[in-house]
Structure formats: C-alpha cells, structure tokens
Amino acid sequence: IYKTIILSIVLYRCETWSLTLREEHRIKVFENKILRANIQVQERCEWRKLHNEELCELYSLPNIVSVIISRS
C-alpha cells in the first residue's frame, strides 16, 4: 500500500518543487508516521516505539526527500 498508493500520491509533480529545510523535515515526519502506522497494522502486537533507524532497516526504500531531490 505504501509503495503503490502513498508514494505515488505524495510524489505527484514533485519535479517542480523547490524544497526548503522546513518542508523536507515535514515530509520526513509524514513518511515516518505513515511507516510506523503501517508496521503496527501488519504486526498487530504490543505497541512499542519504533525509532527512525528501525524504520529504515525494515523498509529498504529510499526516503521521500531523496526521491524528490533526484527527480528535480
């Protein structure tokens, strides 16, 4: 779901964006929030805090900001 729906919606027309540091931070926070929610739905086990490093290890995808920068 994340790769097919969310990424395509978020990255729509990203070639025309000029990102500021504040926008980059907001996009990273959004991405981590979505990934955390997706993992908790998949595992359906006890809640525990997932650190950003753990999210990067679980999802071997490049982060949204790096994709946006590479497309511009």
Side-chain angles (χ1 to χ4, degrees):
I1 293 176
Y2 173 75
K3 240 169 127 175
T4 57
I5 297 173
I6 295 173
L7 272 181
S8 61
I9 291 171
V10 171
L11 295 176
Y12 178 73
R13 300 286 295 166
C14 70
E15 301 86 15
T16 60
W17 298 354
S18 58
L19 292 179
T20 62
L21 290 177
R22 182 177 183 196
E23 290 168 341
E24 285 183 20
H25 176 72
R26 286 183 167 186
I27 291 172
K28 287 178 186 177
V29 168
F30 168 77
E31 179 182 31
N32 288 338
K33 188 176 183 179
I34 295 297
L35 292 176
R36 279 189 183 95
N38 191 20
I39 288 173
Q40 288 175 357
V41 166
Q42 287 177 0
E43 292 182 358
R44 296 181 187 195
C45 61
E46 289 183 24
W47 184 88
R48 71 178 186 88
K49 183 173 171 106
L50 290 173
H51 298 283
N52 294 340
E53 294 82 23
E54 290 178 293
L55 287 173
C56 291
E57 289 175 9
L58 290 172
Y59 288 96
S60 59
L61 303 170
N63 63 14
I64 293 177
V65 174
S66 63
V67 173
I68 292 171
I69 291 171
S70 69
R71 288 186 179 188
S72 59

